[in-house]
Amino acid sequence: MSFKFIERSKLWFTISSVIVILGMISLATLGLNFGIDFTGGTRIQAEFPEGTTNDQIRTALSNVNATDAQGREANLGNSFVQSLDEGAFSIRTLPLDEEEQDRVVEALETEFPGFTVLSGPDIVGPTVGAELIKNAILALLIAAALLVVYISIRFEFKFAVSAIVTLLFDAFVVLTVFSVTQIELNSPFVAAILTIVGYSINDTIVVFDRIRENLKFPGKDLAAKVDRAISQSVVRTINTSLTTLLVLGSILFLAGDTLRPFALPLFVGVISGTYSSIFLAGSFWHAWKLRERSKKIA
């Protein structure tokens, strides 16, 4: 038994288009909340009393206000706090002048007796962020080009382009979620996006492989063969995604703040990758093939 995925292609395209439009509106109006790795800022590494938590440090930082790059007053309670070894923490805030740095240290010393600065405050320049963005885009372009070459050789060019479209959709969905929620983007986000690309292409290739196998059998129209291919792989795709989400969910909700910036984009990306593999990749390839056949007949 096969579900009629292709018959509802317009529905999948409409849903995907709405998501893309909402994402473009969000990115145009809200933008992205780039963290210190991209914008530069102030970093302090310090030792805290045993048992101190990230939330307690953020609560202490919320007593300090500073001026951001746009001249607005900002509260430091949303600063990035990462636990290191043996009671040490790394605190990353927006760029602070000397007076603001002194107020941060004073607030932490008042709240945590025994607080000791290990290094810093250090100023991390925005050029680090520019390098990260440049390298991330370059890595994504190289990965996309290699995927197009490989899939074109093993399958055909239309499969390759369809796969890249779904990959870009998945990456865009993650960007949209981060834009809407204004969650801070730092270097782990870049690694997560590249990981999503690798994960999503895996499911898409499985669907395309089933389509290629079904094309060898005569007697059915193209839509029926694509429907059958997706139906043959949908259980595997869902089971694989669910088991992956269980692991990522555990990291996201139980592993604390250190791994959360990496786990969250992966969690969203796997959900989007599952949707695009089942509903978008085959539908996009089928629509392209129909358009090609119509041109030949005309």
Side-chain angles (χ1 to χ4, degrees):
M1 179 180 177
S2 62
F3 185 76
K4 295 187 180 302
F5 294 96
I6 300 304
E7 188 175 290
R8 297 172 175 81
S9 290
K10 288 184 179 178
L11 175 62
W12 317 138
F13 290 149
T14 302
I15 293 173
S16 304
S17 299
V18 169
I19 293 172
V20 170
I21 291 171
L22 290 176
M24 292 174 68
I25 293 173
S26 178
L27 288 169
T29 56
L30 299 176
L32 293 167
N33 182 16
F34 290 105
I36 187 173
D37 290 344
F38 292 95
T39 62
T42 300
R43 177 171 52 199
I44 303 172
Q45 289 191 356
E47 185 174 351
F48 289 77
E50 187 177 353
T52 302
T53 65
N54 294 20
D55 288 339
Q56 289 175 327
I57 296 174
R58 286 199 190 89
T59 301
L61 291 171
S62 68
N63 297 319
V64 182
N65 291 332
T67 305
D68 65 13
Q70 287 75 41
R72 299 170 301 190
E73 187 172 280
N75 188 273
L76 299 186
N78 292 324
S79 300
F80 182 77
V81 179
Q82 180 180 15
S83 60
L84 305 174
D85 295 331
E86 299 177 355
F89 288 82
S90 175
I91 301 169
R92 291 183 284 178
T93 70
L94 55 85
L96 305 176
D97 58 29
E98 288 188 10
E99 182 185 347
E100 291 167 339
Q101 292 173 11
D102 291 341
R103 282 195 277 129
V104 168
V105 173
E106 183 180 345
L108 295 174
E109 285 176 338
T110 302
E111 191 68 27
F112 303 101
F115 165 82
T116 306
V117 174
L118 299 176
S119 66
D122 298 318
I123 302 297
V124 180
T127 52
V128 175
E131 285 184 15
L132 274 173
I133 295 172
K134 178 183 174 183
N135 292 336
I137 293 174
L138 183 61
L140 196 59
L141 291 176
I142 291 174
L146 291 175
L147 286 172
V148 168
V149 172
Y150 177 76
I151 299 172
S152 297
I153 294 173
R154 293 297 305 273
F155 294 85
E156 65 173 46
F157 180 69
K158 291 183 178 62
F159 278 127
V161 174
S162 301
I164 296 302
V165 168
T166 58
L167 289 184
L168 293 176
F169 175 80
D170 296 336
F172 190 79
V173 168
V174 177
L175 281 175
T176 298
V177 171
F178 273 71
S179 174
V180 171
T181 58
Q182 286 294 291
I183 296 173
E184 192 174 89
L185 271 69
N186 277 301
S187 50
F189 180 83
V190 178
I193 287 291
L194 295 176
T195 305
I196 290 167
V197 169
Y199 181 88
S200 179
I201 193 67
N202 182 50
D203 275 343
T204 304
I205 286 298
V206 170
V207 173
F208 286 167
D209 184 60
R210 299 311 309 166
I211 293 175
R212 183 176 62 175
E213 290 297 316
N214 284 304
L215 289 176
K216 297 176 182 176
F217 298 102
K220 290 184 178 179
D221 65 338
L222 188 60
K225 292 178 180 179
V226 176
D227 281 339
R228 180 174 173 78
I230 299 173
S231 298
Q232 288 172 332
S233 56
V234 68
V235 175
R236 173 203 173 277
T237 300
I238 292 174
N239 286 339
T240 304
S241 298
L242 283 177
T243 51
T244 306
L245 287 173
L246 285 175
V247 176
L248 290 174
S250 300
I251 297 173
L252 180 61
F253 298 110
L254 302 176
D257 294 337
T258 303
L259 294 176
R260 191 167 295 155
F262 183 69
L264 179 59
L266 283 177
F267 192 86
V268 176
V270 169
I271 294 174
S272 175
T274 304
Y275 163 78
S276 63
S277 298
I278 296 173
F279 300 106
L280 205 55
S283 299
F284 187 88
W285 177 85
H286 175 262
W288 195 354
K289 292 293 285 187
L290 281 189
R291 185 181 177 87
E292 181 187 52
R293 289 184 178 183
S294 299
K295 284 185 177 179
K296 287 181 179 178
I297 293 173

